[in-house]
């Protein structure tokens, strides 16, 4: 069986995720959910604030605390799990210079960070139209969509050119330049991909097409597919790592996560996600890198998934900081 007209519309799901995690040495607590209520715990799941709030945010460095919500009002809990701003704002509290900025449902007011006392009403600075200040040019531009970055012939060295030389016959083959590999196809089949970075050609077979690749933990992995339009994964020697049964495979390099999704057999419009953690523990859902906290004197990585619009957290060892 030849692999003809492979559908690549899901190829974008094979992504390189870049984790840029900011770390505060004051950060030791994690928002913890029990049922529908939220509190705070440390990385060992010691409860510092009992679950009692509608929501608690990730630690906000700007206010030196966590935004918590109770009965429709927002307050701030500091890094020692102490309430430092009562629940009086209709929106999350922000910083205005040396004051807190609180919204009472009608207007914003300044509150003293030191005394927590209400000060004056906040007056938004007047904003001048750009052209009235002499900065406008009267010229408008339409930048449009950013162009996809692709390899070119100039990016190839002599060894690369020698490897793809057999496929330069335009009557028999077509060479498509991608971001980090060359795709080679013929009129009726998918020939394979060539990766200049590794100097390797991965030739498709009658059953499997190689359609993308990525470094993960310092090793190259090749994305595979077939006429099912599902995906699998192979190592650089074409040994199967994951079978071809996934709608998406996300390798989050630098954070140790692998995110897999499979079609829901009961609902063709739905995907079922699983995340494999650095220690190979598997949790249901699609997790992403968040940041770090202290655990036993060392930094400890955290990840999150979205549940009902709120972030639910898990540790690098797969420990979930949510129940129910």
């Amino acid at each position: 069986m030849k692999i003809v007209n492979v559908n690549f519309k899901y190829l974008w799901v094979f992504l390189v995720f870049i984790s840029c995690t900011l770390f505060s040495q004051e950060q030791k607590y994690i928002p913890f959910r029990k049922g529908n209520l939220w509190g705070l715990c440390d990385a060992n799941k010691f409860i510092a604030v009992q679950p009692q709030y509608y929501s608690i945010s990730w630690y906000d460095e700007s206010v030196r605390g966590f935004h918590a919500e109770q009965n429709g009002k927002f307050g701030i809990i500091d890094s020692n799990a102490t309430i430092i701003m009562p629940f009086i704002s209709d929106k999350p509290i922000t910083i205005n210079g040396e004051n807190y900025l609180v919204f009472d449902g009608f207007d914003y007011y300044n509150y003293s960070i030191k005394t927590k006392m209400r000060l004056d009403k906040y007056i938004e600075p007047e904003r001048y139209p750009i052209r009235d200040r002499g900065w406008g040019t009267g010229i408008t531009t339409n930048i449009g969509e950013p162009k996809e970055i692709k390899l070119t012939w100039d990016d190839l060295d002599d060894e690369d050119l020698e490897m793809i030389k057999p496929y330069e016959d335009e009557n028999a083959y077509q060479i498509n330049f991608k971001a980090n590999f060359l795709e080679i196809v013929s009129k009726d089949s998918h020939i394979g991909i060539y990766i200049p970075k590794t100097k390797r050609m991965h030739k498709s077979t009658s059953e499997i097409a190689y359609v993308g690749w990525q470094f993960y933990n310092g090793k190259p992995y090749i994305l595979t597919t077939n006429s099912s339009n599902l995906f699998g994964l192979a190592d650089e020697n074409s040994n199967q790592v994951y079978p071809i049964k996934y709608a998406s495979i996300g390798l989050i390099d630098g954070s140790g996560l692998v995110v897999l999704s499979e079609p829901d057999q009961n609902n063709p419009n739905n995907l079922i996600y699983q995340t494999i953690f650095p220690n190979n523990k598997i949790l249901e859902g699609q997790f992403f890198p968040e940041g770090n906290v202290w655990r036993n004197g060392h930094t400890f990585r955290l990840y999150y998934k979205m549940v009902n619009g709120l972030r639910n957290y898990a540790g690098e060892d797969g420990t979930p900081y949510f129940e129910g």
Side-chain angles (χ1 to χ4, degrees):
M1 179 187 74
K2 289 186 177 181
I3 298 177
V4 181
N5 297 324
V6 176
N7 189 332
F8 297 103
K9 67 178 180 178
Y10 297 113
L11 185 56
W12 62 270
V13 299
F14 188 64
L15 299 176
V16 179
F17 290 86
I18 300 177
S19 173
C20 299
T21 56
L22 300 178
F23 176 61
S24 167
Q25 292 190 6
E26 296 182 4
Q27 176 73 352
K28 59 184 177 181
Y29 292 125
I30 304 164
F32 172 77
R33 178 178 64 82
K34 186 173 184 179
N36 295 322
L37 298 178
W38 290 81
L40 292 173
C41 70
D42 65 14
N44 294 312
K45 297 193 79 169
F46 172 79
I47 302 297
V49 175
Q50 289 294 329
Q52 57 188 292
Y53 301 108
Y54 176 79
S55 68
I56 293 182
S57 74
W58 181 251
Y59 185 81
D60 183 348
E61 185 70 35
S62 69
V63 299
R64 302 288 181 178
F66 303 85
H67 299 279
E69 183 181 1
Q70 187 177 55
N71 299 324
K73 300 289 185 177
F74 289 90
I76 300 175
I77 301 174
D78 72 4
S79 59
N80 294 314
T82 301
I83 296 176
I84 59 171
M85 196 63 189
F87 295 84
I88 58 173
S89 183
D90 283 36
K91 296 181 180 180
I93 297 169
T94 57
I95 295 291
N96 176 36
E98 297 182 353
N99 299 317
Y100 288 123
L101 196 58
V102 173
F103 184 65
D104 69 355
F106 297 97
D107 295 296
Y108 283 97
Y109 288 87
N110 288 303
Y111 277 70
S112 169
I113 291 178
K114 293 183 178 180
T115 67
K116 312 302 186 290
M117 298 295 292
R118 178 167 164 169
L119 304 175
D120 56 329
K121 182 178 177 180
Y122 172 73
I123 305 298
E124 186 175 0
E126 185 175 359
R127 297 179 180 178
Y128 296 93
I130 291 179
R131 294 186 65 184
D132 288 354
R133 297 292 295 271
W135 296 332
T137 64
I139 299 174
T140 59
T141 60
N142 183 14
I143 297 176
E145 294 294 327
K147 292 184 178 180
E148 180 184 357
I149 298 175
K150 296 181 180 181
L151 293 172
T152 67
W153 286 106
D154 292 336
D155 297 315
L156 306 182
D157 60 24
D158 291 341
E159 185 176 352
D160 299 327
L161 296 175
E162 186 65 25
M163 290 290 290
I164 64 173
K165 189 174 182 179
Y167 307 101
E168 291 182 1
D169 182 355
E170 295 182 356
N171 294 321
Y173 304 103
Q174 179 179 339
I175 299 176
N176 299 319
F177 285 81
K178 304 295 183 179
N180 60 1
F181 68 94
L182 276 62
E183 175 193 56
I184 304 171
V185 298
S186 68
K187 294 181 179 179
D188 62 350
S189 64
H190 188 272
I191 303 302
I193 64 174
Y194 174 70
I195 305 174
K197 184 75 173 179
T198 63
K199 307 300 183 186
R200 297 288 295 269
M201 177 76 72
H202 297 272
K203 294 183 178 181
S204 299
T205 69
S206 61
E207 300 293 334
I208 297 175
Y210 297 96
V211 293
W213 81 284
Q214 179 191 325
F215 270 122
Y216 178 73
N217 290 340
K219 297 180 180 179
Y221 290 90
I222 318 302
L223 190 68
T224 62
T225 190
N226 57 23
S227 56
S228 71
N229 290 323
L230 297 177
F231 295 99
L233 200 67
D235 64 18
E236 61 182 323
N237 297 314
S238 300
N239 297 316
Q240 178 179 279
V241 177
Y242 296 119
I244 300 176
K245 68 172 187 174
Y246 298 101
S248 65
I249 299 175
L251 306 181
I252 309 181
D253 197 20
S255 295
L257 295 186
V258 176
V259 181
L260 307 172
S261 74
E262 295 186 56
D264 187 344
Q265 299 299 322
N266 298 318
N267 182 357
N269 296 319
N270 187 43
L271 295 177
I272 299 175
Y273 284 90
Q274 287 187 324
T275 299
I276 304 175
F277 282 73
N279 63 350
N280 291 322
K281 184 173 182 179
I282 299 175
L283 292 181
E284 299 297 323
Q286 186 178 17
F287 283 84
F288 302 94
E290 175 62 273
N292 301 316
V293 294
W294 288 111
R295 187 176 80 163
N296 303 329
H298 301 281
T299 58
F300 183 71
R301 291 184 296 180
L302 289 176
Y303 307 91
Y304 75 91
K305 70 174 180 178
M306 299 300 296
V307 179
N308 297 326
L310 299 174
R311 296 189 178 195
N312 288 236
Y313 298 94
E316 64 182 51
D317 59 356
T319 299
Y321 297 101
F322 50 88
E323 298 177 1

